[in-house]
Amino acid sequence: MVSVVQNVAIDCTDAYELARFWSEVTGCPLHPQDRPGDREVQVMLPEGPLLHFNHVPEPKTIKNRIHLCLRPTTSREEEVERLLKLGATLVADRRKPDGAGWAVLADPEGNEFCVLRSESDRTGASS
């Protein structure tokens, strides 16, 4: 017997608005029945678990113990710039001069996530 991961739950103070941010990040839609003010909202990823946003009364106070790692379809640098324009903030820059590493960003409610090198960034580094 095994368990299947149904969703990745993210606590937040405004489930709909944070889900909208992640919908823009991933290019995936919100669940069609979700509306502003809902206490639970889902981003419908095409594969794997859903992103499930839960309203909680308390704000985030410490570093995440679990986080999402994103591999962009464009370059890492272009994706970091796009995400910053969507409302993310740069938390830590772990990028190295040789192109390795990642950028740690936070969503509008302070949840950290990483932006890794894209496949094309990785292929270009090994050529």
Side-chain angles (χ1 to χ4, degrees), residues 4-62:
V4 175
V5 176
Q6 174 67 38
N7 62 54
V8 175
I10 301 168
D11 291 348
C12 53
T13 58
D14 189 332
Y16 187 81
E17 285 304 313
L18 194 57
R20 278 190 43 210
F21 169 82
W22 282 99
S23 175
E24 289 289 322
V25 168
T26 62
C28 296
L30 299 179
H31 188 282
Q33 295 177 349
D34 291 339
R35 300 286 179 262
D38 286 353
R39 297 178 64 79
E40 295 182 7
V41 179
Q42 295 180 333
V43 174
M44 311 297 291
L45 301 177
E47 297 178 17
L50 303 171
L51 295 180
H52 184 89
F53 298 86
N54 298 308
H55 168 81
V56 297
E58 64 277 356
K60 179 183 175 298
T61 57
I62 60 173

Side-chain angles (χ1 to χ4, degrees), residues 48 69-70 82 86 102:
C69 291
L70 307 178
R82 183 181 80 87
L86 288 176
W102 59 92

Side-chain angles (χ1 to χ4, degrees), residues 57-110:
E58 64 277 356
K60 179 183 175 298
T61 57
I62 60 173
K63 182 182 182 299
N64 302 11
R65 296 293 293 189
I66 187 170
H67 64 269
L68 302 176
C69 291
L70 307 178
R71 186 163 316 276
T73 56
T74 184
S75 78
R76 178 187 56 211
E77 310 320 317
E78 290 172 309
E79 185 64 354
V80 167
E81 290 305 313
R82 183 181 80 87
L83 297 174
L84 293 172
K85 288 178 184 168
L86 288 176
T89 55
L90 183 64
V91 173
D93 194 340
R94 305 283 190 238
R95 295 173 282 189
K96 300 186 184 324
D98 68 356
W102 59 92
V104 180
L105 278 66
D107 70 21
E109 290 205 15

